[in-house]
Amino acid sequence: MTPSPTPLSTALPKYTRIAGTGSLLPERQVSNAELAIELAGRGVETSDDWIVERTGIRTRHFVAPGTVASDLAVGAARSAIEAAGCQAQDIDLIIVATSTPDMVFPSTACIVQQKLGIVGCPAFDLQAVCSGFVYALTVADAMIRSGSASRALVIGAEVFSRILDFNDRGTCVLFGDGAGAVVLAASDTPGLLATDLHADGRHVGLLCVPGSVAGGQVLGDPFVRMDGQGVFKLAVGVLEQAARAVLAKAGRTEADIDWLIPHQANIRIMQSTARKLKLGMDKVIVTVADHGNTSAASIPLALDVAVRSGRVNRGDTLLLEGVGGGFTWGAVLLDY
Ligand code: UT7
Protein backbone atom coordinates (compact mmCIF):
# COMPACT_ATOMS: atom_id res chain seq x y z
CA MET A 1 0.00 0.00 0.00
CA THR A 2 1.38 3.38 -0.94
CA PRO A 3 1.55 5.77 2.01
CA SER A 4 -0.94 8.62 1.79
CA PRO A 5 0.73 11.94 0.97
CA THR A 6 1.58 14.23 3.86
CA PRO A 7 -1.38 16.61 4.14
CA LEU A 8 -0.75 20.29 3.58
CA SER A 9 -0.61 22.15 6.89
CA THR A 10 -4.18 22.86 7.99
CA ALA A 11 -3.23 23.98 11.49
CA LEU A 12 -5.36 26.84 12.68
CA PRO A 13 -3.58 29.95 13.95
CA LYS A 14 -3.25 30.04 17.70
CA TYR A 15 -3.57 33.79 18.00
CA THR A 16 -4.46 37.01 16.27
CA ARG A 17 -2.26 40.08 16.56
CA ILE A 18 -2.78 43.75 15.86
CA ALA A 19 -0.57 44.26 12.80
CA GLY A 20 -1.27 47.99 12.41
CA THR A 21 -3.45 50.83 13.66
CA GLY A 22 -4.88 53.96 12.05
CA SER A 23 -7.37 56.74 12.70
CA LEU A 24 -8.99 59.78 11.18
CA LEU A 25 -10.59 62.81 12.79
CA PRO A 26 -12.64 65.38 10.88
CA GLU A 27 -10.83 68.69 10.38
CA ARG A 28 -13.36 70.85 12.22
CA GLN A 29 -12.63 71.08 15.93
CA VAL A 30 -15.26 72.59 18.22
CA SER A 31 -14.13 73.70 21.68
CA ASN A 32 -16.44 73.76 24.68
CA ALA A 33 -16.42 77.57 24.56
CA GLU A 34 -17.48 77.61 20.88
CA LEU A 35 -20.19 75.04 21.54
CA ALA A 36 -21.44 77.03 24.55
CA ILE A 37 -21.80 80.14 22.36
CA GLU A 38 -23.63 78.15 19.67
CA LEU A 39 -25.98 76.64 22.26
CA ALA A 40 -26.60 80.01 23.94
CA GLY A 41 -28.02 81.16 20.61
CA ARG A 42 -30.68 78.45 21.07
CA GLY A 43 -31.33 79.41 24.69
CA VAL A 44 -29.42 76.33 25.96
CA GLU A 45 -27.05 77.13 28.83
CA THR A 46 -23.74 75.33 29.34
CA SER A 47 -20.13 76.26 30.03
CA ASP A 48 -16.57 75.11 29.49
CA ASP A 49 -16.23 74.77 33.27
CA TRP A 50 -19.23 72.43 33.60
CA ILE A 51 -18.20 70.23 30.68
CA VAL A 52 -14.55 69.93 31.79
CA GLU A 53 -15.43 69.28 35.43
CA ARG A 54 -18.19 66.70 34.80
CA THR A 55 -16.66 64.91 31.78
CA GLY A 56 -13.03 65.91 31.08
CA ILE A 57 -13.98 66.93 27.52
CA ARG A 58 -12.38 70.13 26.17
CA THR A 59 -12.99 69.82 22.46
CA ARG A 60 -14.45 67.44 19.88
CA HIS A 61 -14.40 67.08 16.09
CA PHE A 62 -17.50 67.41 13.91
CA VAL A 63 -17.73 66.34 10.26
CA ALA A 64 -18.48 68.77 7.45
CA PRO A 65 -21.87 68.49 5.73
CA GLY A 66 -21.81 65.57 3.31
CA THR A 67 -19.10 63.58 5.12
CA VAL A 68 -20.34 60.14 6.17
CA ALA A 69 -19.06 57.40 8.47
CA SER A 70 -17.51 55.42 5.59
CA ASP A 71 -15.36 58.45 4.62
CA LEU A 72 -13.83 58.50 8.09
CA ALA A 73 -13.62 54.70 8.19
CA VAL A 74 -11.73 54.54 4.89
CA GLY A 75 -9.18 57.14 6.05
CA ALA A 76 -8.57 55.22 9.27
CA ALA A 77 -8.42 51.92 7.35
CA ARG A 78 -5.85 53.19 4.85
CA SER A 79 -3.48 54.27 7.62
CA ALA A 80 -3.97 50.97 9.51
CA ILE A 81 -3.24 49.00 6.31
CA GLU A 82 -0.12 51.06 5.71
CA ALA A 83 1.03 50.57 9.31
CA ALA A 84 0.47 46.83 8.94
CA GLY A 85 2.73 46.81 5.88
CA CYS A 86 0.14 45.14 3.66
CA GLN A 87 -2.14 46.07 0.77
CA ALA A 88 -5.91 46.57 0.75
CA GLN A 89 -6.10 43.44 -1.44
CA ASP A 90 -4.63 41.36 1.42
CA ILE A 91 -7.67 42.07 3.61
CA ASP A 92 -10.08 39.12 3.74
CA LEU A 93 -12.62 40.33 6.32
CA ILE A 94 -14.08 43.78 7.06
CA ILE A 95 -16.09 44.59 10.18
CA VAL A 96 -17.29 48.12 10.86
CA ALA A 97 -18.63 48.91 14.33
CA THR A 98 -20.96 51.88 14.02
CA SER A 99 -24.27 53.27 15.24
CA THR A 100 -24.24 55.99 12.58
CA PRO A 101 -24.07 54.04 9.29
CA ASP A 102 -24.15 55.82 5.91
CA MET A 103 -27.43 54.15 5.00
CA VAL A 104 -30.06 51.94 6.60
CA PHE A 105 -28.57 49.33 4.28
CA PRO A 106 -26.28 48.12 2.79
CA SER A 107 -23.75 48.00 5.57
CA THR A 108 -21.10 50.70 5.93
CA ALA A 109 -18.58 47.84 5.73
CA CYS A 110 -19.68 47.08 2.14
CA ILE A 111 -19.31 50.78 1.27
CA VAL A 112 -15.84 50.81 2.84
CA GLN A 113 -14.96 47.66 0.90
CA GLN A 114 -15.99 49.33 -2.37
CA LYS A 115 -14.08 52.55 -1.56
CA LEU A 116 -10.95 50.51 -0.78
CA GLY A 117 -11.29 48.60 -4.06
CA ILE A 118 -11.57 45.21 -2.38
CA VAL A 119 -13.86 42.59 -3.95
CA GLY A 120 -15.25 39.40 -2.52
CA CYS A 121 -14.27 39.20 1.15
CA PRO A 122 -17.04 39.16 3.78
CA ALA A 123 -17.97 42.63 5.07
CA PHE A 124 -20.56 43.51 7.68
CA ASP A 125 -21.46 46.08 10.32
CA LEU A 126 -21.63 45.31 13.98
CA GLN A 127 -24.01 47.24 16.19
CA ALA A 128 -23.10 47.35 19.87
CA VAL A 129 -22.97 51.16 20.24
CA CYS A 130 -19.96 52.24 22.36
CA SER A 131 -18.96 48.59 22.96
CA GLY A 132 -18.90 48.02 19.20
CA PHE A 133 -15.13 47.93 18.80
CA VAL A 134 -14.48 45.34 21.52
CA TYR A 135 -17.36 43.27 20.12
CA ALA A 136 -15.91 43.55 16.59
CA LEU A 137 -12.39 42.63 17.73
CA THR A 138 -13.79 39.57 19.49
CA VAL A 139 -15.73 38.44 16.39
CA ALA A 140 -12.75 39.01 14.08
CA ASP A 141 -10.45 37.13 16.49
CA ALA A 142 -12.84 34.15 16.51
CA MET A 143 -13.14 34.16 12.70
CA ILE A 144 -9.37 34.27 12.26
CA ARG A 145 -8.70 31.53 14.78
CA SER A 146 -11.37 29.33 13.17
CA GLY A 147 -9.70 29.73 9.77
CA SER A 148 -12.43 31.88 8.14
CA ALA A 149 -10.09 34.84 7.64
CA SER A 150 -6.41 35.64 8.00
CA ARG A 151 -6.18 39.44 7.82
CA ALA A 152 -9.15 41.41 9.13
CA LEU A 153 -9.86 45.11 9.00
CA VAL A 154 -11.73 46.08 12.17
CA ILE A 155 -13.02 49.64 12.25
CA GLY A 156 -14.98 51.85 14.63
CA ALA A 157 -16.46 54.86 12.79
CA GLU A 158 -19.03 57.38 13.93
CA VAL A 159 -20.68 60.65 12.93
CA PHE A 160 -22.57 61.19 16.17
CA SER A 161 -22.96 64.91 15.42
CA ARG A 162 -25.76 63.82 13.01
CA ILE A 163 -27.86 62.33 15.81
CA LEU A 164 -27.37 64.96 18.52
CA ASP A 165 -30.21 67.15 19.73
CA PHE A 166 -28.52 70.53 20.19
CA ASN A 167 -31.39 71.56 22.46
CA ASP A 168 -30.46 68.80 24.94
CA ARG A 169 -27.41 69.94 26.91
CA GLY A 170 -27.30 66.61 28.77
CA THR A 171 -26.12 64.85 25.58
CA CYS A 172 -25.01 67.29 22.86
CA VAL A 173 -21.86 68.42 24.69
CA LEU A 174 -20.62 64.84 25.11
CA PHE A 175 -20.16 63.33 21.66
CA GLY A 176 -17.86 63.80 18.67
CA ASP A 177 -17.07 62.27 15.27
CA GLY A 178 -14.08 60.13 14.21
CA ALA A 179 -12.82 56.72 13.20
CA GLY A 180 -10.16 54.28 14.31
CA ALA A 181 -9.08 51.01 12.72
CA VAL A 182 -6.80 48.04 13.21
CA VAL A 183 -5.56 45.30 10.91
CA LEU A 184 -5.78 42.02 12.80
CA ALA A 185 -3.64 39.17 11.50
CA ALA A 186 -3.30 35.44 12.19
CA SER A 187 -0.22 34.75 14.30
CA ASP A 188 1.55 31.97 16.16
CA THR A 189 2.60 34.36 18.92
CA PRO A 190 0.24 36.31 21.24
CA GLY A 191 -1.83 38.30 20.40
CA LEU A 192 -5.27 38.68 21.77
CA LEU A 193 -5.20 36.80 25.06
CA ALA A 194 -8.79 36.91 26.29
CA THR A 195 -12.11 38.56 25.51
CA ASP A 196 -15.27 39.01 27.55
CA LEU A 197 -18.56 40.36 26.14
CA HIS A 198 -21.92 41.04 27.77
CA ALA A 199 -25.29 42.66 27.18
CA ASP A 200 -28.31 43.35 29.36
CA GLY A 201 -31.35 44.31 27.29
CA ARG A 202 -33.32 45.26 30.40
CA HIS A 203 -31.58 48.64 30.05
CA VAL A 204 -32.49 49.37 26.41
CA GLY A 205 -34.04 52.72 27.36
CA LEU A 206 -31.02 54.06 29.30
CA LEU A 207 -29.15 55.11 26.15
CA CYS A 208 -30.86 54.96 22.78
CA VAL A 209 -31.99 56.64 19.58
CA PRO A 210 -35.64 55.59 19.78
CA GLY A 211 -36.73 56.50 16.22
CA SER A 212 -37.17 54.15 13.27
CA VAL A 213 -37.66 54.53 9.53
CA ALA A 214 -40.95 53.59 7.84
CA GLY A 215 -43.18 54.90 5.10
CA GLY A 216 -40.47 57.23 3.81
CA GLN A 217 -39.93 59.03 7.10
CA VAL A 218 -38.32 58.79 10.49
CA LEU A 219 -40.94 57.69 12.96
CA GLY A 220 -40.39 58.87 16.51
CA ASP A 221 -37.32 60.51 17.96
CA PRO A 222 -34.13 60.45 15.80
CA PHE A 223 -31.77 61.81 18.50
CA VAL A 224 -29.55 60.29 21.22
CA ARG A 225 -31.38 60.06 24.53
CA MET A 226 -29.51 59.13 27.68
CA ASP A 227 -30.06 58.75 31.39
CA GLY A 228 -26.51 59.93 32.14
CA GLN A 229 -26.47 59.01 35.81
CA GLY A 230 -28.01 55.60 35.15
CA VAL A 231 -25.35 54.86 32.52
CA PHE A 232 -22.59 56.17 34.78
CA LYS A 233 -23.56 53.90 37.69
CA LEU A 234 -23.82 50.77 35.54
CA ALA A 235 -20.61 51.57 33.65
CA VAL A 236 -18.33 51.78 36.69
CA GLY A 237 -19.52 48.38 37.94
CA VAL A 238 -19.40 46.40 34.70
CA LEU A 239 -16.03 47.78 33.57
CA GLU A 240 -14.37 46.42 36.69
CA GLN A 241 -16.09 43.02 36.25
CA ALA A 242 -15.06 42.74 32.57
CA ALA A 243 -11.47 43.71 33.39
CA ARG A 244 -11.23 41.05 36.10
CA ALA A 245 -12.83 38.47 33.80
CA VAL A 246 -10.27 38.86 30.99
CA LEU A 247 -7.37 38.91 33.44
CA ALA A 248 -8.62 35.68 35.03
CA LYS A 249 -9.19 34.01 31.63
CA ALA A 250 -5.65 34.93 30.54
CA GLY A 251 -4.07 33.97 33.89
CA ARG A 252 -2.76 37.50 34.38
CA THR A 253 -3.16 40.12 37.10
CA GLU A 254 -3.65 43.89 37.23
CA ALA A 255 0.12 44.21 37.68
CA ASP A 256 0.60 42.83 34.14
CA ILE A 257 -1.35 45.68 32.51
CA ASP A 258 0.94 48.19 30.81
CA TRP A 259 -1.90 50.33 29.41
CA LEU A 260 -5.62 50.59 30.08
CA ILE A 261 -7.38 51.91 26.96
CA PRO A 262 -10.99 52.41 28.00
CA HIS A 263 -13.96 53.78 26.08
CA GLN A 264 -13.58 57.54 26.20
CA ALA A 265 -16.91 58.78 27.59
CA ASN A 266 -16.07 60.47 30.85
CA ILE A 267 -12.77 60.98 32.68
CA ARG A 268 -14.50 60.23 35.99
CA ILE A 269 -15.51 56.74 34.78
CA MET A 270 -11.92 56.10 33.64
CA GLN A 271 -10.51 57.29 36.99
CA SER A 272 -12.92 55.03 38.85
CA THR A 273 -11.95 51.99 36.75
CA ALA A 274 -8.25 52.72 37.18
CA ARG A 275 -8.68 53.08 40.95
CA LYS A 276 -10.50 49.75 41.20
CA LEU A 277 -7.74 48.04 39.22
CA LYS A 278 -5.06 49.78 41.31
CA LEU A 279 -3.61 51.45 38.21
CA GLY A 280 -2.21 54.97 38.25
CA MET A 281 -3.70 57.37 35.72
CA ASP A 282 -0.25 57.39 34.10
CA LYS A 283 -1.18 53.91 32.81
CA VAL A 284 -4.45 55.03 31.25
CA ILE A 285 -4.66 56.34 27.68
CA VAL A 286 -6.95 59.39 27.83
CA THR A 287 -8.15 61.13 24.67
CA VAL A 288 -11.59 62.21 25.84
CA ALA A 289 -10.37 65.80 26.30
CA ASP A 290 -9.59 66.10 22.57
CA HIS A 291 -12.16 63.77 20.99
CA GLY A 292 -15.19 63.73 23.29
CA ASN A 293 -17.16 60.49 23.19
CA THR A 294 -16.86 59.01 19.69
CA SER A 295 -18.77 55.84 20.61
CA ALA A 296 -17.45 52.78 18.71
CA ALA A 297 -14.52 54.84 17.37
CA SER A 298 -13.20 55.92 20.76
CA ILE A 299 -11.06 52.88 21.65
CA PRO A 300 -9.32 52.40 18.27
CA LEU A 301 -8.80 56.17 18.07
CA ALA A 302 -7.19 56.22 21.51
CA LEU A 303 -5.10 53.14 20.63
CA ASP A 304 -3.81 54.74 17.43
CA VAL A 305 -2.98 58.01 19.19
CA ALA A 306 -1.10 56.04 21.85
CA VAL A 307 0.82 53.96 19.30
CA ARG A 308 1.77 56.93 17.12
CA SER A 309 2.86 59.02 20.12
CA GLY A 310 5.21 56.20 21.15
CA ARG A 311 3.49 55.39 24.44
CA VAL A 312 2.21 51.96 23.41
CA ASN A 313 5.01 49.73 22.14
CA ARG A 314 5.31 46.18 20.83
CA GLY A 315 5.13 43.67 23.68
CA ASP A 316 3.00 45.90 25.92
CA THR A 317 -0.05 44.31 27.53
CA LEU A 318 -3.19 46.32 26.78
CA LEU A 319 -6.62 46.17 28.38
CA LEU A 320 -9.31 47.59 26.07
CA GLU A 321 -12.75 48.16 27.59
CA GLY A 322 -16.03 49.33 26.11
CA VAL A 323 -19.46 50.11 27.57
CA GLY A 324 -22.60 51.65 26.16
CA GLY A 325 -26.11 51.40 24.79
CA GLY A 326 -27.85 48.06 24.86
CA PHE A 327 -26.74 47.92 27.66
CA THR A 328 -23.52 46.36 26.33
CA TRP A 329 -20.03 46.02 27.70
CA GLY A 330 -16.86 44.03 27.22
CA ALA A 331 -13.09 43.84 27.43
CA VAL A 332 -10.17 42.54 25.39
CA LEU A 333 -6.77 41.78 26.91
CA LEU A 334 -3.92 41.60 24.41
CA ASP A 335 -0.18 41.64 23.96
CA TYR A 336 0.44 44.34 21.39
O1 UT7 B 1 -20.86 56.26 25.67
C1 UT7 B 1 -21.69 55.48 26.44
C2 UT7 B 1 -21.42 55.65 27.83
N1 UT7 B 1 -21.88 56.95 28.27
C3 UT7 B 1 -21.44 57.40 29.41
O2 UT7 B 1 -20.64 56.73 29.99
C4 UT7 B 1 -22.04 58.65 29.99
C5 UT7 B 1 -22.21 58.43 31.46
N2 UT7 B 1 -22.74 59.59 32.18
C6 UT7 B 1 -22.01 60.70 32.34
O3 UT7 B 1 -20.91 60.81 31.86
C7 UT7 B 1 -22.59 61.78 33.23
O4 UT7 B 1 -23.74 61.30 33.90
C8 UT7 B 1 -22.95 63.08 32.47
C9 UT7 B 1 -21.69 63.75 32.03
C10 UT7 B 1 -23.82 62.74 31.28
C11 UT7 B 1 -23.69 64.02 33.40
O5 UT7 B 1 -22.93 64.29 34.56
P1 UT7 B 1 -23.62 64.22 36.00
O6 UT7 B 1 -22.59 64.58 36.96
O7 UT7 B 1 -24.25 62.87 36.11
O8 UT7 B 1 -24.68 65.38 35.92
P2 UT7 B 1 -26.26 65.30 36.08
O9 UT7 B 1 -26.88 64.66 34.89
O10 UT7 B 1 -26.58 64.78 37.43
O11 UT7 B 1 -26.61 66.83 36.07
C12 UT7 B 1 -26.18 67.71 37.12
C13 UT7 B 1 -26.69 69.09 36.81
C14 UT7 B 1 -28.16 69.16 36.46
O12 UT7 B 1 -28.68 70.37 36.98
P3 UT7 B 1 -29.51 70.40 38.36
O13 UT7 B 1 -30.66 69.49 38.13
O14 UT7 B 1 -28.55 69.91 39.39
O15 UT7 B 1 -29.86 71.84 38.48
C15 UT7 B 1 -28.18 69.22 34.97
O16 UT7 B 1 -29.33 69.86 34.46
O17 UT7 B 1 -26.00 69.60 35.66
C16 UT7 B 1 -26.96 70.05 34.69
N3 UT7 B 1 -26.40 69.83 33.36
C17 UT7 B 1 -25.65 70.76 32.73
N4 UT7 B 1 -25.22 71.99 33.11
C18 UT7 B 1 -24.43 72.65 32.25
C19 UT7 B 1 -26.53 68.77 32.55
N5 UT7 B 1 -25.87 68.96 31.41
C20 UT7 B 1 -25.31 70.18 31.50
C21 UT7 B 1 -24.49 70.96 30.64
N6 UT7 B 1 -24.08 72.17 31.06
N7 UT7 B 1 -24.09 70.51 29.43
Side-chain angles (χ1 to χ4, degrees):
M1 214 169 95
T2 45
S4 50
T6 314
L8 292 173
S9 172
T10 51
L12 293 171
K14 223 172 153 204
Y15 296 103
T16 62
R17 279 186 76 90
I18 293 181
T21 67
S23 62
L24 184 70
L25 288 159
E27 252 173 54
R28 183 174 168 228
Q29 231 179 316
V30 181
S31 70
N32 291 344
E34 284 172 76
L35 191 58
I37 292 168
E38 209 172 302
L39 296 183
R42 298 166 174 263
V44 176
E45 196 191 323
T46 190
S47 65
D48 177 51
D49 283 352
W50 190 94
I51 302 170
V52 171
E53 190 192 318
R54 307 309 296 167
T55 73
I57 299 167
R58 292 181 182 277
T59 186
R60 77 283 292 137
H61 294 250
F62 284 158
V63 287
T67 300
V68 287
S70 66
D71 296 325
L72 301 180
V74 164
R78 285 195 207 285
S79 63
I81 289 168
E82 193 186 337
C86 62
Q87 307 291 320
Q89 271 57 35
D90 300 326
I91 299 297
D92 57 9
L93 169 67
I94 301 173
I95 307 179
V96 176
T98 185
S99 299
T100 48
D102 294 12
M103 303 182 193
V104 172
F105 72 80
S107 68
T108 303
C110 286
I111 300 168
V112 166
Q113 185 191 41
Q114 179 261 324
K115 288 181 177 177
L116 289 174
I118 304 170
V119 178
C121 76
F124 59 92
D125 286 2
L126 193 152
Q127 165 56 285
V129 202
C130 303
S131 311
F133 187 74
V134 291
Y135 265 67
L137 265 189
T138 302
V139 171
D141 175 51
M143 288 181 72
I144 289 175
R145 283 187 299 106
S146 69
S148 310
S150 60
R151 216 180 256 116
L153 187 54
V154 183
I155 307 170
E158 302 282 13
V159 286
F160 254 62
S161 59
R162 295 273 155 72
I163 54 169
L164 295 178
D165 175 358
F166 287 96
N167 295 306
D168 175 9
R169 68 179 182 174
T171 53
C172 73
V173 303
L174 305 176
F175 294 91
D177 302 335
V182 299
V183 172
L184 210 58
S187 165
D188 291 328
T189 54
L192 266 66
L193 303 169
T195 64
D196 187 60
L197 299 182
H198 297 276
D200 186 346
R202 289 175 301 175
H203 303 295
V204 162
L206 267 189
L207 173 50
C208 57
V209 176
S212 59
V213 181
Q217 39 188 322
V218 177
L219 300 184
D221 184 349
F223 296 118
V224 175
R225 300 299 171 203
M226 180 169 74
D227 168 0
Q229 284 196 5
V231 172
F232 194 106
K233 280 181 202 144
L234 275 177
V236 293
V238 298
L239 287 173
E240 182 189 7
Q241 286 164 23
R244 297 205 182 284
V246 283
L247 287 169
K249 284 182 193 179
R252 304 257 181 123
T253 70
E254 297 101 309
D256 296 316
I257 300 170
D258 292 304
W259 293 103
L260 171 63
I261 309 184
H263 172 47
Q264 307 284 316
N266 188 316
I267 188 70
R268 291 184 291 141
I269 296 176
M270 292 184 249
Q271 287 164 340
S272 159
T273 306
R275 219 171 15 248
K276 288 178 176 175
L277 297 176
K278 299 188 178 65
L279 294 175
M281 283 306 285
D282 57 340
K283 294 215 162 189
V284 185
I285 301 297
V286 178
T287 53
V288 71
D290 302 326
H291 302 166
N293 180 347
T294 57
S295 194
S298 92
I299 295 172
L301 253 169
L303 171 63
D304 187 52
V305 166
V307 166
R308 285 172 197 268
S309 65
R311 278 174 290 169
V312 164
N313 289 291
R314 287 289 170 197
D316 286 352
T317 299
L318 313 183
L319 173 60
L320 314 186
E321 288 207 280
V323 61
F327 205 69
T328 54
W329 67 98
V332 174
L333 189 74
L334 64 97
D335 282 348
Y336 178 68

